[in-house]
Amino acid sequence: MLLALELLLCAVVAALGIGVAVRVLHPLPPLEPRRASHALGDTGDTPIGRFAATMAAAHPGLSGIHLLSDPYDAFAARVALIRGAVRCLDVQYYIWRGDVTGTLMIEELHAAADRGVRLRILLDDNGIAGLDAVLAALDDHPNIEIRLYNPFVLRWPKLVGYLADFARLNRRMHNKSLTADGQATVIGGRNIGDEYFGATGGAFFADLDVLAIGPVVADVSEDFDRYWSSPSAYPAERLLAPVKATELAAILGRRRTAERDAAARKYQAAVERAGFQEKLEAGQLPFDWAPTKLVSDDPAKTVGRAARNGLLAAKLVEIIGAPRAALFLVSAYFVPGKTGVDIFRGMSTSGMDIRVVTNSFESTDVWIVHAGYAKRRKALLRSGVRLFEMRRARDGETRRPSRKLLGIGSGSGLRGSGSGSGGDGHVLRGSASMLHAKTFIADNERVFVGSFNFDPRSLELNTELGFVVESPDLAAFMRGQLENAVAESTYELALTDSGDINWLERRDGRTVAHRREPSTSLAQRVGIGILSHLPIEWML
């Protein structure tokens, strides 16, 4: 035992030594001078601008909201905005993969820059693994400027950077937005990568974005400027090794290779079928018009200097107030903590109907987060909260992405464009085995869609962004769809008389009760128990 403790102590000391050495030998580069740039304000005469103005004329003061639950539609909408832009594109993401969809979208951005569109790309430096050379090549383009948010100075292995500067690097930019010509934007839960757009061979993330036009788009542009000029946004050229000009040719070659891939061809076909570009310009894409407010964190949160009233959580409380009758919450990573449990208990005591949909163990991609949630399940159930955990698709169930993935199906208006892949599944169903959406419905009156998870990391560490839409019609529709669908695609948790948890699964018209957490072994359950007792809930 003594030898083990000595070895552990030596390992800790060595790690700290490495961290100090890295910090001394690789300090952050100078932040200034940076090239000043701002959102363009004279873009009303662009094709997207004329479309937005025509649509908004009949809805003064309101923003147009088009829900994107289908993964193909979500990809097509972004591509449509990129192809439709003629003046500028502002792009902000937490994760950007170098896979099929990530490569295709990079090439779309490159093509936009070639035709004269100004691109500002702000990426969190923790989510761009393997893309340094590609980004450096793009940053050389005269119409593209890339900044890396809260960067790692040591490019590889980045993990060592955490040893050097954990307190800083543990805070990340989780925001996601793509804005074209300052006139239309896509925000929501999706990062850029195959698992977010249904391009994987198996499971993908069930997620939700919105395409918006109208006054709220100017707010997104203003918010992007806040982050772009913040002390955490470093010019990429000061961090990435320079590459040869031929690297851009290599990017084009990667796309030609990707287009020969079956998944890439499927995507090309889906984009053409969707016809988002034509629908945007022709005014044929259905929107729901409602007062819509942007909520986001002050980027000073990244350096621990944001005032409480500058945090998204405080703004949500200010805008929404306390729900009076009902709260329907969908959160991929739900870690309420003791404070959250107390808040939910108080709501439930007053007679409020509270329902939470989150990932089960079999659908989560982060064990330790699940452990933080599992620790609070019994307390939540005792307080009157109804808990639903997304289950994995069973044999015989549909295995393809569905246009009704989160309950917004085909048709028009609230039900989206229905222009995607042609599936006919239901909310949280299909090949979607992991929940990634972050949305809630309050009192059948207001809807939140964005990047904010109900966990300590979103509350205190990461920056987040989202919309609050004041639309009883939209809220009622989404709640009705979710209520109908969770019975088919989730386990409902229930306490037995002895205080144990049962996982109730509706299957073929009957209810199956699982006395142990589905799809877990004894070792896994023991592991979850151990993790749940570690003092790390604050960073989950």
Side-chain angles (χ1 to χ4, degrees), residues 344-345 348 352-355 379-386:
F344 284 124
R345 182 182 294 113
S348 181
M352 188 182 302
D353 175 17
I354 304 173
R355 307 184 190 191
L380 288 165
L381 291 169
R382 291 191 191 104
S383 71
V385 176
R386 294 184 67 183

Side-chain angles (χ1 to χ4, degrees), residues 107-186:
E107 178 50 29
E108 293 289 350
L109 292 172
H110 176 219
D114 278 349
R115 63 175 186 268
V117 179
R118 185 196 75 174
L119 269 66
R120 297 189 297 174
I121 303 175
L122 179 61
L123 301 175
D124 186 275
D125 196 28
N126 194 50
I128 55 171
L131 288 181
D132 277 14
V134 172
L135 295 175
L138 289 175
D139 193 49
D140 278 342
H141 196 290
N143 290 329
I144 301 176
E145 184 177 1
I146 298 175
R147 292 185 181 178
L148 302 181
Y149 196 86
N150 204 19
F152 294 75
V153 181
L154 183 67
R155 304 311 298 167
W156 189 90
K158 284 186 174 180
L159 181 62
V160 175
Y162 279 108
L163 299 176
D165 205 358
F166 179 79
R168 176 178 70 86
L169 293 173
N170 189 42
R171 296 174 177 267
R172 308 310 319 173
M173 181 190 75
H174 199 233
N175 312 35
K176 303 139 173 73
S177 69
L178 189 155
T179 305
D181 286 339
Q183 299 292 330
T185 190
V186 172

Side-chain angles (χ1 to χ4, degrees), residues 54-97:
T54 300
M55 296 289 287
H59 310 278
L62 304 181
S63 294
I65 300 297
H66 180 88
L67 294 167
L68 298 166
S69 68
D70 177 81
Y72 294 141
D73 282 355
F75 182 86
R78 288 167 169 82
V79 171
L81 292 190
I82 295 170
R83 291 180 179 177
V86 298
R87 295 287 305 283
C88 58
L89 286 162
D90 288 338
V91 181
Q92 181 180 20
Y93 280 99
Y94 171 57
I95 291 174
W96 197 297
R97 306 280 191 215

Side-chain angles (χ1 to χ4, degrees), residues 2 74-75 92 110 162 236 253 266 270-271 303 319 359 478 496:
L2 181 61
F75 182 86
Q92 181 180 20
H110 176 219
Y162 279 108
K266 186 176 183 180
V271 170
V303 292
I319 292 171
N359 277 305
M478 287 181 63
T496 66

Side-chain angles (χ1 to χ4, degrees), residues 327-330 353-357 385-388 479 483 486:
L327 179 65
F328 203 125
L329 190 154
V330 179
D353 175 17
I354 304 173
R355 307 184 190 191
V356 176
V357 181
V385 176
R386 294 184 67 183
L387 291 179
F388 300 86
R479 181 179 176 116
E483 286 177 340
V486 292

Side-chain angles (χ1 to χ4, degrees), residues 297-519:
D297 284 304
D298 184 337
K301 182 180 182 181
T302 305
V303 292
R305 296 176 185 169
R308 297 303 300 179
N309 61 6
L311 300 181
L312 181 146
K315 296 175 186 177
L316 278 176
V317 172
E318 179 183 342
I319 292 171
I320 293 176
R324 299 181 303 275
L327 179 65
F328 203 125
L329 190 154
V330 179
S331 180
Y333 308 111
F334 179 62
V335 185
K338 183 180 183 302
T339 301
V341 171
D342 291 341
I343 291 172
F344 284 124
R345 182 182 294 113
M347 291 180 175
S348 181
T349 301
S350 67
M352 188 182 302
D353 175 17
I354 304 173
R355 307 184 190 191
V356 176
V357 181
T358 190
N359 277 305
S360 65
F361 174 82
E362 67 184 25
S363 67
T364 190
D365 62 331
V366 186
W367 263 42
I368 197 164
V369 170
H370 182 77
Y373 152 69
K375 178 180 181 178
R376 304 294 178 182
R377 284 188 297 209
K378 287 186 178 181
L380 288 165
L381 291 169
R382 291 191 191 104
S383 71
V385 176
R386 294 184 67 183
L387 291 179
F388 300 86
E389 294 181 1
M390 184 175 177
R391 65 172 177 80
R392 191 166 49 205
R394 302 296 183 217
D395 292 341
E397 291 182 325
T398 179
R399 285 286 176 180
R400 61 184 179 181
S402 162
R403 72 173 58 164
K404 292 185 182 178
L405 190 56
L406 277 162
I408 295 79
S410 60
S412 62
L414 297 176
R415 291 163 178 79
S417 66
S419 58
S421 61
D424 59 353
H426 299 281
V427 60
L428 308 180
R429 196 176 169 189
S431 57
S433 293
M434 293 167 283
L435 180 66
H436 195 259
K438 309 98 169 49
T439 186
F440 66 75
I441 305 159
D443 291 333
N444 278 356
E445 295 175 358
R446 298 171 299 280
V447 173
F448 170 83
V449 178
S451 67
F452 180 81
N453 287 300
F454 283 76
D455 60 16
R457 176 162 289 279
S458 284
L459 285 168
E460 302 293 341
L461 297 174
N462 292 348
T463 65
E464 309 287 353
L465 176 148
F467 286 163
V468 174
V469 185
E470 298 180 35
S471 172
D473 288 342
L474 179 61
F477 174 78
M478 287 181 63
R479 181 179 176 116
Q481 291 289 303
L482 284 165
E483 286 177 340
N484 290 335
V486 292
E488 299 180 26
S489 306
T490 66
Y491 304 105
E492 180 172 7
L493 277 61
L495 284 177
T496 66
D497 292 339
S498 60
D500 296 322
I501 297 177
N502 276 355
W503 285 258
L504 307 180
E505 177 186 355
R506 276 80 176 179
R507 186 188 300 175
D508 301 326
R510 59 192 179 92
T511 299
V512 178
H514 301 270
R515 291 183 296 171
R516 295 187 179 89
E517 189 157 2
S519 302

